[in-house]
Amino acid sequence: MSTLPPDCITVPVETGTQRYDILIGSGLFDAPAAWDGLPRAARALIVSNATVAPLYAARLQQALAGRYAAVSLLALPDGEQHKDWATLNLIFDQLLAEGADRQTVLFALGGGVVGDMTGFAAACYMRGVPFVQVPTTLLAQVDSSVGGKTAINHPAGKNMIGAFYQPQRVVCDLDTLRTLPPRELSAGLAEVIKYGPIADMDFLGWIESNLQALLAREPTALAHAVQRSCEIKAWVVGQDERESGLRAILNFGHTFGHAIEAGLGYGDWLHGEAVGCGMVMAADLSARLGLVTEAFSARLQRLIARAGLPVRGPDLGSDRYLELMRVDKKAQGGEIRFVLIDGPGRAVLRAVPDATVRQVLAAHAGPGR
């Protein structure tokens, strides 16, 4: 029986209805054990995009060739602006053209957009086929590939159409981060930073001390960042798979961030950039409500800026921000609910008066970036 590389880290995810592993390490594409034990089928489809496919699709096809009689590839257009019905239909078109059945396995090779759309397609095709996440960006490895959230965007709101559908496995080959553009690396660091204020202040301190190593892509630092992020997310998902309560804390910064993405038109700011700026706003909101000190809010803003992320939002106008945030999935009855820091290392979901939100927007949104 083949074995995983000695430096491979395994993080289990247990939801109560399903168990699967997150594999984290270098050289996993070429490690046969990374692909052992997956569902058997006659056919597999790799869904990637026009940027990632030329880099890694052939290696993944080679790794899977002895396990499936046919391994085909679909390269979607790249970018958040293509996370829509038209692009999703390309996956269904390919599956139907190839005569894919209920045993066909989908492999999502790429970042968060590819993972979200492939997972959603897997949830829908013939009412559910298995899929595997093979994330190639830092953001996808530490966040979007884990936990079974799948979706596409709507012009009125981000990720508004989707399903909870867990993968069979998540394979994080850290070697793929070598080809990640610097802007994408910074975007991924936003989701790494997020885990500190909401769950683990020791981890936040570690990020502050090791940020330069992360920006320099030092393998040991990246491995620890991905591992600890996945451990925290796996724990949260295990407690609340369908975001009925606790899991909402993972959306720290996302209410403001999703409004930025939707307000500008998807693809102008990267998701992680919008989340980073959104965390600045959410931390300030927490401070204005007396949940954390202004010093803590300033500390988080400094770290986000050091990571190369924007700390000032676009000038959409406070009315437009509020309009967009009212269609956030955490909103209830038209009332916006924010993930706030309820003391360092703890998060809470709370409704906030519009007047206080407007104060935050006046301080952190407008000309400049």
Side-chain angles (χ1 to χ4, degrees):
M1 182 177 177
S2 55
T3 58
L4 292 166
D7 64 347
C8 180
I9 300 160
T10 301
V11 177
V13 181
E14 299 191 38
T15 67
T17 59
Q18 187 174 339
R19 184 197 183 283
Y20 58 94
D21 288 332
I22 308 166
L23 305 182
I24 304 164
S26 297
L28 293 182
F29 274 111
D30 306 316
W35 317 105
D36 284 347
L38 293 174
R40 292 181 173 275
R43 177 176 296 280
L45 172 64
I46 299 169
V47 181
S48 188
N49 66 35
T51 301
V52 175
L55 298 172
Y56 300 112
R59 286 177 63 190
L60 183 54
Q61 282 182 299
Q62 184 176 0
L64 301 176
R67 300 169 187 275
Y68 304 97
V71 182
S72 53
L73 170 67
L74 172 64
L76 303 174
D78 191 8
E80 187 81 29
Q81 65 271 32
H82 300 294
K83 191 178 170 183
D84 56 16
W85 277 117
T87 307
L88 181 70
N89 253 331
L90 296 177
I91 305 177
F92 296 135
D93 290 346
Q94 181 98 355
L95 290 168
L96 290 164
E98 294 179 353
D101 57 28
R102 282 181 167 167
Q103 281 68 51
T104 299
V105 184
L106 275 58
F107 288 80
L109 176 68
V113 171
V114 166
D116 275 15
M117 287 201 297
T118 305
F120 190 29
C124 296
Y125 187 72
M126 292 191 174
R127 299 189 178 93
V129 297
F131 87 108
V132 177
Q133 289 274 18
V134 190
T136 60
T137 67
L138 181 60
L139 188 146
Q141 290 185 1
V142 302
D143 184 65
S144 62
S145 68
V146 178
K149 275 189 174 182
T150 72
I152 58 171
N153 298 329
H154 185 279
K158 185 176 170 69
N159 292 334
M160 295 303 291
I161 304 161
F164 288 98
Y165 195 68
Q166 300 293 342
Q168 299 291 311
R169 184 172 300 162
V170 182
V171 181
C172 302
D173 191 326
L174 299 176
D175 291 345
T176 62
L177 303 182
R178 296 175 184 170
T179 56
L180 201 60
R183 186 181 173 193
E184 291 276 2
L185 183 70
S186 289
L189 287 172
E191 295 284 9
V192 175
I193 292 168
K194 168 189 75 178
Y195 291 108
I198 67 170
D200 187 346
M201 287 299 294
D202 287 342
F203 186 43
L204 184 66
W206 180 89
I207 297 167
E208 288 172 321
S209 299
N210 291 272
L211 184 61
Q212 288 309 119
L214 292 168
L215 289 168
R217 308 174 199 234
E218 291 185 8
T220 302
L222 286 172
H224 179 70
V226 175
Q227 177 184 357
R228 187 62 190 131
S229 298
C230 287
E231 286 172 346
I232 295 170
K233 184 156 189 182
W235 179 82
V236 172
V237 170
Q239 304 297 308
D240 178 20
E241 180 182 6
R242 293 181 173 266
E243 203 171 296
S244 58
L246 176 67
R247 186 168 177 173
I249 70 170
L250 297 172
N251 287 311
F252 176 55
H254 287 58
T255 302
F256 287 108
H258 286 173
I260 291 171
E261 289 183 88
L264 290 176
Y266 302 111
D268 190 344
W269 282 33
L270 297 176
H271 174 64
E273 292 174 331
V275 167
C277 186
M279 286 193 289
V280 171
M281 295 178 177
D284 183 24
L285 188 55
S286 302
R288 289 174 189 270
L289 295 172
L291 301 176
V292 295
T293 64
E294 291 183 7
F296 179 82
S297 176
R299 173 187 175 185
L300 188 58
Q301 178 169 331
R302 284 194 300 272
L303 178 60
I304 290 166
R306 286 178 57 210
L309 294 161
V311 295
R312 188 167 187 82
D315 188 11
L316 304 177
S318 59
D319 288 344
R320 180 60 173 153
Y321 269 102
L322 289 166
E323 177 188 10
L324 290 164
M325 290 189 287
R326 288 193 207 286
V327 297
D328 182 84
K329 294 183 292 300
K330 297 180 295 301
Q332 289 185 350
E335 188 175 58
I336 308 168
R337 298 190 302 164
F338 294 87
V339 178
L340 304 172
I341 303 305
D342 187 21
R346 299 190 308 274
V348 65
L349 187 63
R350 180 180 295 185
V352 178
D354 285 2
T356 310
V357 178
R358 290 179 186 275
Q359 291 173 1
V360 170
L361 293 170
H364 296 286
R369 181 175 171 184

